[in-house]
Amino acid sequence: VAKSMAGAMGIMAGGAMFIGGAKAALDFEQALINATAAMPDAADHMEELTMLARDWGIESGVGAAKAADAIGYLALAGYDAERAMASLPVVLKFAGAGAFDAATASDILTDALSALKLASKDAETNLANMTHVADLMSKASVTANTSVEQLGEAFLMKAGSAAANAGMAVEDLTNMLMIFADQGRKGSEAGTLAAATIEGLKKSAAKFADSNLNDVIFDSNGNMRNLSEIVEGLTREFGHLSAEERTAALMALGVNRQAMDGVNLLIGQTEAVNNYADALDNAGGATSDLAEKKWAALSQQIGVIKQQLVDFAIAVLGPFLQGVVAIVKPLANVIQAVGRWSESTNNLIPNLMKSVGIAVSLKVLLPLVATGILFVAKSLTKLMFSNPFTAILAGVIMFVNHIREA
């Protein structure tokens, strides 16, 4: 008995593993098809895309299907196969560093590059820019009171385009957002505020070309200074003034209220800006470092083992299921054709089956009914003649029913 139970349990476990593996293989195939649907040149790189998703699905622990989803989001952002393949490792490391899913990581990075006007059709250039932006955001998230998602929201909410139009380096914009975050202004609110500050200062400084504000914002060549120099200059020019005096001085220079709000948050932050500038200067590799630290966790390593088993299922059960489909599909086509032919002949097959069913039912049920009636009749007859009183009672009941019917 014990051996039989063990065998049954083994069969059940094997069946469950087969079903789970088959589902994983099918999920990956569908995810890859969905991901490459919007990628015109995917057909020329399908094998490379497949192996890249499988390899990085294991490396990152997210799984091949989720890695394929990330490729899909890159495709939706307009990436061709070459740029998507180059970007996928950065996207998955960024997801690991920020502890969010691959789809979110892809969205944040592609949106940030577009907002900052750093997206490029050249795969190598685009990869360098994406890696740099990812490193800056990762470094900022562990240095200041902000998160990667909040920085991404800020870049997208006007700050990225404002900085790009003003010629401000992405490092300086990130630094400004870190300063704002430490004072409670984060996400889309910080992005709107940063955009207003950058555009307001640039416009006012250009309008009052002979003012000290112009010297604070622009260098001798007319280029915007770095944030450390700007904050130092703003603090020097306006930091000693009272709130009322500062407001009056800035308004006299044409600085609007929203830009003034940002200026007030920057004044007096020279030391913090310099410290953040040093941190951002050394941000190279921050995304990889954070991702590797999180991937080293035991739970993550267990996840990697699971994905290795899934990869086995993709490699073995995927082709097996394709073979099954190749065999069963023609048979299914024949069955479908027979069904359509039956419909074209006034449902000949269902009618034949119905007739056969009726005949079988009659052959089986009629003898049973006849036998039952005979049994009841015999039982009643036996009961009546075994006891005269029963016979008399039956006769009385029959007579009464006859009178009632008459």
Side-chain angles (χ1 to χ4, degrees):
V1 177
K3 289 184 178 180
S4 299
M5 290 181 63
M9 291 179 65
I11 293 173
M12 291 174 63
M17 290 178 64
F18 177 83
I19 293 172
K23 184 180 183 302
L26 294 173
D27 287 347
F28 172 64
E29 181 188 38
Q30 188 62 56
L32 196 61
I33 290 172
N34 294 342
T36 55
M39 194 177 286
D41 61 339
D44 299 329
H45 302 275
M46 189 57 71
E47 184 175 350
E48 298 168 90
L49 288 165
T50 300
M51 292 310 301
L52 186 71
R54 286 172 58 183
D55 289 343
W56 277 96
I58 294 172
E59 179 76 16
S60 64
V62 303
K66 294 296 184 184
D69 288 342
I71 293 175
Y73 277 88
L74 290 169
L76 291 175
Y79 282 41
D80 58 18
E82 187 178 3
R83 283 197 297 162
M85 289 189 292
S87 302
L88 182 64
V90 179
V91 168
L92 293 179
K93 288 180 181 179
F94 189 61
F100 37 73
D101 60 52
T104 300
S106 179
D107 265 353
I108 291 174
L109 284 177
T110 54
D111 287 347
L113 284 187
S114 296
L116 293 163
K117 299 184 179 181
L118 293 175
S120 172
K121 294 293 184 182
D122 179 72
E124 187 175 346
T125 301
N126 195 76
L127 174 61
N129 290 342
M130 179 179 283
T131 302
H132 182 54
V133 171
D135 284 342
L136 289 175
M137 295 172 77
S138 296
K139 189 68 173 181
S141 69
V142 296
T143 307
N145 186 22
T146 187
S147 69
V148 167
E149 292 96 329
Q150 290 168 342
L151 290 168
E153 288 178 15
F155 286 153
L156 191 59
M157 189 56 67
K158 301 180 182 179
S161 58
N165 292 335
M168 174 181 274
V170 62
E171 293 87 350
D172 284 333
L173 174 59
T174 305
N175 196 334
M176 179 182 289
L177 293 172
M178 293 165 75
I179 294 296
F180 287 172
D182 286 344
Q183 297 174 77
R185 313 294 281 274
K186 306 176 184 181
S188 58
E189 181 188 4
T192 301
L193 179 60
T197 303
I198 294 167
E199 292 169 350
L201 287 175
K202 181 184 176 184
K203 182 178 179 180
S204 297
K207 183 177 180 180
F208 294 88
D210 296 329
S211 67
N212 289 342
L213 181 62
N214 185 278
D215 292 333
V216 168
I217 304 302
F218 298 115
D219 62 21
S220 58
N221 295 318
N223 298 317
M224 181 171 277
R225 295 181 184 274
N226 63 52
L227 189 65
S228 294
E229 292 175 329
I230 290 174
V231 171
E232 183 179 356
L234 290 173
T235 301
R236 181 180 63 250
E237 294 296 325
F238 305 102
H240 63 284
L241 302 177
S242 67
E244 292 78 7
E245 292 171 335
R246 184 186 301 172
T247 298
L250 290 170
M251 288 184 67
L253 292 168
V255 179
N256 61 45
R257 289 283 182 180
Q258 196 169 19
M260 200 180 301
D261 187 13
V263 170
N264 286 327
L265 293 178
L266 293 174
I267 288 175
Q269 298 295 324
T270 303
E271 183 178 356
V273 168
N274 289 336
N275 289 337
Y276 285 156
D278 289 341
L280 294 175
D281 284 343
N282 295 295
T287 303
S288 293
D289 292 342
L290 281 173
E292 288 171 5
K293 288 178 181 178
K294 294 184 178 182
W295 289 349
L298 179 60
S299 59
Q300 182 71 19
Q301 293 302 308
I302 293 173
V304 169
I305 293 172
K306 176 185 175 182
Q307 297 308 327
Q308 288 174 319
L309 296 176
V310 168
D311 188 71
F312 172 80
I314 292 171
V316 176
L317 295 182
F320 170 76
L321 293 173
Q322 290 175 353
V324 171
V325 169
I327 295 172
V328 174
K329 183 64 175 176
L331 178 61
N333 291 337
V334 171
I335 294 172
Q336 181 185 15
V338 171
R340 295 295 172 85
W341 171 79
S342 174
E343 288 179 335
S344 68
T345 57
N346 294 321
N347 292 320
L348 177 62
I349 293 177
N351 289 332
L352 286 174
M353 294 179 68
K354 187 186 298 183
S355 299
V356 171
I358 293 172
V360 171
S361 298
L362 290 174
K363 183 177 180 180
V364 174
L365 293 177
L366 283 178
L368 291 175
V369 172
T371 302
I373 293 173
L374 183 60
F375 173 77
V376 171
K378 286 181 178 181
S379 298
L380 290 174
T381 302
K382 184 177 179 181
L383 179 64
M384 290 174 61
F385 288 101
S386 64
N387 190 337
F389 176 76
T390 303
I392 294 170
L393 180 62
V396 171
I397 292 173
M398 292 174 64
F399 176 75
V400 171
N401 284 335
H402 176 72
I403 295 300
R404 290 174 64 186
E405 292 174 359

